[in-house]
Amino acid sequence: MSVYYESTVLRAGNEAGDMVEGGVVILYADPIPDALESVSVVHGPAKGPEREIRPGDVFSLGEQRVELVAVGERAHENLCTLGHIVVYLNPDEGTSLLPGAVHGRGTVTVPAAGVRLALSGAAS
Amino acid sequence: MSEMETHTSRAVFVKPGPGGWGRGLLLRTDGTRTKVLSVTGGGIHPVAARIAELAGAEAVDGFTTTVPDDQVVAAVINCGGTARIGVYPRKGIPTVDVYPGAPGGPLAQFITEDLFVSAVGVDQVAPSTTDDAPVEEGAAAQRPAVPPREERPSSREVAATVAGGGKFGQTFNSVTGVFVKFGSGVGSFVNTMLAAGRQTVDLTLKTILPFMAYVSLLLGIVTYTGVAEWMGRVLSPIASNPIGLVAISFVVALPFLSPILGPGAAIAQVIGTLMGSQIAIGALPVQYALPTLFAINGQVGCDFVPVGLALGEAKPETVAVGTPAVLVSRMVTAPLAVVIAWAASFGL
């Protein structure tokens, strides 16, 4: 398992908690429009991902780990351009995979500022 | 009101592209709304630039510039379906998705046809041809009107873009026309079914379940206080003669009693059991069965009237008038039903 994307959480919007409770984590890199700020976890990546996201990779937020089971077709592009990715946690069977989303298994709580965020997987 | 300033306020109509969602949005600038927000990353998206150019607005990059909501004409997004697609409609800002997105994600409820259109390319942005609506300030200007019929692309226009003219084009069109007709027939059928399902779930969640919760509460109160049970015991002695039955039916149908006697059917249980056992042991003639049934059920449905009306999507005024109308008419029809049942029981 090697880390191919790494970043630090800067802040979480005031509604990010509701979103996470609802099983959706919305990540955006700084800078971010105010409208999106409230529902998002804002982070500051040092650089873009070294390879594309694949099912089977692990998304970690501090000590919390989420195993990705499905990856939307536009997730990688969003991550590269905006540091934006939407992680659906334990979606019900049959939940359709939106293009910008990834589905994963695991639990996440809203991260505090300074928490390390990473994507890791088999080396490319 | 329309302010006569120097800036030109031109309406722009944005229609959904192929595979897109929505009916199209009519966008315009006004005194305060002068900016088209491009929330696509990588600078100003061509669609945002085009809308701004036609509407006489300014396109700004939402990721680098902060614009107060009340200055935004529209937001242009390239959303994969969760965040941006919902947050801007939630603020009442008309939202244009350059990808063919449809309402989804946690904020799906805010994504409506008056605020969202998708699969929009530069070609889908055009000056509005019917620009006679007065520009209004404030909230009214936030909700773009449904485009007039002539601005919605007709299926023929769409079909005409598929293949060019010429002999081959015509033949091609006539052959594919059959498939297109069949396809859109199937499509509209599926859509209807889907919409029906969506409405059913909506109604269940927003009307039926809350009503069930309210009835449970009422049931709890009625059962806990024992008011209906007590009434049943008070009324049961007079149940053994026809005049008494008519009186019972009148009492249970009193408009201030019937809604609380409906849930739980305590009266029906108490008197019904009593009369049933009396008839069974032969203490009462069997002719009493039918009138009693009507007498103890005068209140049935009185608790459900407002909800039934709401389920039928009645207006609040209709509910306000309809509920008392049903409750008061019950006072007449319930005793009448007992009398008719009584008459029908002769010869049993």
Side-chain angles (χ1 to χ4, degrees):
Chain A
M1 293 292 262
S2 61
V3 173
Y4 64 89
Y5 185 76
E6 197 165 19
S7 179
T8 312
V9 174
L10 300 173
R11 56 192 182 273
N14 52 6
E15 284 176 85
D18 299 347
M19 289 283 161
V20 173
E21 267 171 44
V24 181
V25 186
I26 301 173
L27 294 159
Y28 264 107
D30 215 26
I32 170 175
D34 291 350
L36 295 169
E37 172 103 33
S38 63
V39 294
S40 308
V41 171
V42 187
H43 63 107
K47 57 185 196 307
E50 286 163 19
R51 66 161 175 82
E52 74 288 354
I53 313 168
R54 299 178 199 147
D57 291 352
V58 172
F59 166 75
S60 49
L61 208 52
E63 295 303 301
Q64 298 162 329
R65 292 162 60 84
V66 176
E67 189 195 342
L68 304 184
V69 293
V71 177
E73 63 204 32
R74 217 175 288 131
H76 179 69
E77 182 192 335
N78 280 344
L79 187 65
C80 294
T81 55
L82 303 168
H84 169 46
I85 190 163
V86 180
V87 184
Y88 280 73
L89 302 165
N90 315 313
D92 300 335
E93 278 301 312
T95 303
S96 60
L97 179 68
L98 294 163
V102 296
H103 287 184
R105 277 198 294 263
T107 49
V108 167
T109 50
V110 176
V115 167
R116 174 174 174 271
L117 172 164
L119 281 162
S120 52
S124 47
Chain B
M1 54 126 292
S2 114
E3 73 295 336
M4 302 301 290
E5 285 179 29
T6 45
H7 88 263
T8 46
S9 166
R10 287 162 303 197
V12 174
F13 186 65
V14 182
K15 62 180 190 225
W21 191 91
R23 284 179 309 206
L25 301 174
L26 192 62
L27 305 172
R28 61 168 77 242
T29 56
D30 64 19
T32 51
R33 288 174 193 283
T34 54
K35 296 190 168 65
V36 176
L37 208 54
S38 181
V39 201
T40 50
I44 310 277
H45 194 277
V47 169
R50 179 81 178 140
I51 294 174
E53 174 197 351
L54 291 177
E58 178 195 353
V60 291
D61 184 348
F63 279 99
T64 54
T65 322
T66 303
V67 178
D69 292 354
D70 57 8
Q71 293 184 10
V72 179
V73 177
V76 175
I77 59 173
N78 59 346
C79 179
T82 303
R84 281 166 287 176
I85 198 172
V87 291
Y88 290 104
R90 183 170 64 161
K91 291 168 169 280
I93 294 175
T95 306
V96 176
D97 195 345
V98 301
Y99 289 141
L107 300 169
Q109 63 186 58
F110 301 105
I111 305 168
T112 60
E113 283 187 328
D114 358 346
L115 286 173
F116 183 76
V117 61
S118 71
V120 175
V122 175
D123 297 344
Q124 274 76 40
V125 181
S128 168
T129 48
T130 53
D131 190 7
D132 49 5
V135 179
E136 288 191 40
E137 290 278 343
Q142 278 196 18
R143 302 187 71 80
V146 179
R149 176 150 289 289
E150 64 264 30
E151 292 198 347
R152 295 181 223 160
S154 71
S155 50
R156 187 166 311 153
E157 279 171 17
V158 175
T161 58
V162 174
K167 205 169 175 66
F168 172 74
Q170 279 169 7
T171 327
F172 181 79
N173 273 347
S174 60
V175 173
T176 52
V178 178
F179 300 130
V180 171
K181 269 207 184 66
F182 182 75
S184 49
V186 171
S188 82
F189 173 77
V190 171
N191 256 336
T192 309
M193 292 292 142
L194 199 65
R198 197 174 281 142
Q199 270 194 324
T200 308
V201 172
D202 227 32
L203 203 64
T204 309
L205 285 178
K206 294 199 171 119
T207 311
I208 300 176
L209 289 179
F211 172 68
M212 287 167 84
Y214 142 77
V215 169
S216 310
L217 172 78
L218 211 53
L219 204 56
I221 291 172
V222 169
T223 315
Y224 181 75
T225 56
V227 60
E229 189 101 10
W230 174 82
M231 273 191 68
R233 295 201 197 294
V234 170
L235 292 172
S236 52
I238 61 170
S240 51
N241 73 72
I243 307 295
L245 287 179
V246 174
I248 289 178
S249 69
F250 181 77
V251 171
V252 296
L254 285 169
F256 55 90
L257 283 179
S258 54
I260 54 167
L261 294 177
I267 288 203
Q269 287 182 38
V270 173
I271 301 183
T273 318
L274 183 92
M275 298 292 284
S277 55
Q278 295 290 310
I279 292 170
I281 59 172
L284 282 174
V286 74
Q287 287 93 316
Y288 274 76
L290 195 57
T292 307
L293 179 71
F294 280 95
I296 59 183
N297 285 316
Q299 77 286 1
V300 167
C302 286
D303 51 346
F304 184 76
V305 176
V307 183
L309 285 167
L311 284 177
E313 294 184 354
K315 292 192 175 71
E317 305 88 86
T318 316
V319 178
V321 174
T323 309
V326 174
L327 295 189
V328 172
S329 68
R330 269 297 166 84
M331 286 203 307
V332 179
T333 56
L336 204 59
V338 177
V339 173
I340 294 171
W342 179 254
S345 300
F346 280 111
L348 274 178

